[in-house]
Amino acid sequence: MIQHNNLLNTLISFSQKINFTPQDRQLAVTTIGFDISVLEIFMPLLQGGGVVIASQEDLMDTYKLIELTERSGATVLQATPSLWHLIIQGLGEKKLNIRGLCGGEELTSTLAEVITLKVDKYWNVYGPTETTIWSTIKEVLPEDGCISIGHPISNTQIYILDDRMEPAPNGMKGEIYIGGEGVARGYLNRAELTKEKFIKNP
């Protein structure tokens, strides 16, 4: 159950992180059945920018999608690593003059390195279903050896905890816990599961 304040925090935070201005245009490629589409549509509108909605036909043909990106003047594209891989293949030697967001699946260092050469800037993003779209962001740079999910967005906290719910020491494995404005109210009509997964910050 995502509330308006959760969404507003995410939209404002992301527009600041990627410097989305009224001159920008977002290419929306995600079906409205996925939460990612909300960022693609409402972040640009909130900032007075533009939205270019890709048709199903464009999405079924990588070359048409690339052509739409160039023809429409889109400046921002959000996509999964799988779609980025297809776009990179379709580009060949060309480059896209856009800023990109990459999330929804694990970003490999091999793909990250190639994307860096094909766009102006891009960010790796991460967020589970229980939060509002994305919870962390990290600009990917050519010199990055290890791909990171980055740091929490505004008004959001990330904790790495061990089995006893204590902060894991640096370099040790742990589980990600997320707090702050991005966390949903709970699962719809699943009170017991909500009680189990949505806990008070100890």
Side-chain angles (χ1 to χ4, degrees):
M1 293 182 286
I2 302 295
Q3 302 181 119
H4 286 170
N5 63 294
N6 300 137
L7 182 58
L8 192 59
N9 182 71
T10 301
L11 298 178
I12 291 172
S13 180
F14 264 80
S15 64
Q16 291 170 343
K17 294 282 184 189
I18 70 168
N19 192 29
F20 198 100
T21 72
Q23 287 71 48
D24 281 311
R25 298 181 68 139
Q26 170 86 44
L27 179 60
V29 299
T30 308
T31 175
I32 59 169
F34 287 102
D35 60 351
I36 301 169
S37 66
V38 177
L39 185 78
E40 292 178 339
I41 294 168
F42 290 102
M43 180 183 68
L45 298 180
L46 192 65
Q47 298 303 321
V51 182
V52 179
I53 299 178
S55 69
Q56 192 63 35
E57 188 182 347
D58 293 323
L59 293 171
M60 297 300 287
D61 185 326
T62 307
Y63 297 105
K64 284 186 177 177
L65 185 61
I66 292 169
E67 184 189 338
L68 174 64
T69 307
E70 295 171 325
R71 180 169 33 89
S72 67
T75 57
V76 177
L77 170 63
Q78 173 179 244
T80 62
S82 299
L83 183 53
W84 275 113
H85 179 72
L86 293 173
I87 291 169
I88 297 304
Q89 284 185 321
L91 279 171
E93 297 300 312
K94 290 197 302 183
K95 181 183 172 182
L96 285 176
N97 293 318
I98 57 168
R99 304 191 306 282
L101 294 169
C102 186
E105 303 161 7
E106 182 183 356
L107 175 62
T108 65
S109 55
T110 306
L111 180 59
E113 190 177 339
V114 178
I115 298 174
T116 305
L117 302 172
K118 296 293 184 179
V119 298
D120 295 335
K121 276 185 169 189
Y122 83 104
W123 293 263
N124 190 31
V125 292
Y126 163 81
T129 302
E130 292 78 9
T131 62
T132 309
I133 312 171
W134 305 124
S135 301
T136 67
I137 184 169
K138 163 72 170 72
E139 184 178 353
V140 181
L141 303 169
E143 60 269 23
D144 287 346
C146 177
I147 302 304
S148 165
I149 62 170
H151 297 280
I153 64 169
S154 302
N155 305 308
T156 299
Q157 299 85 45
I158 299 287
Y159 304 98
I160 310 297
L161 305 181
D162 62 20
D163 298 350
R164 298 170 316 218
M165 301 281 292
E166 296 288 334
N170 282 346
M172 300 300 289
K173 288 183 180 179
E175 192 168 355
I176 296 175
Y177 285 77
I178 302 172
E181 280 298 306
V183 178
R185 218 172 73 202
Y187 300 109
L188 181 64
N189 300 326
R190 308 275 311 265
E192 284 304 311
L193 191 59
T194 296
K195 187 177 177 183
E196 178 190 338
K197 298 291 185 183
F198 288 80
I199 59 172
K200 287 189 176 178
N201 188 336

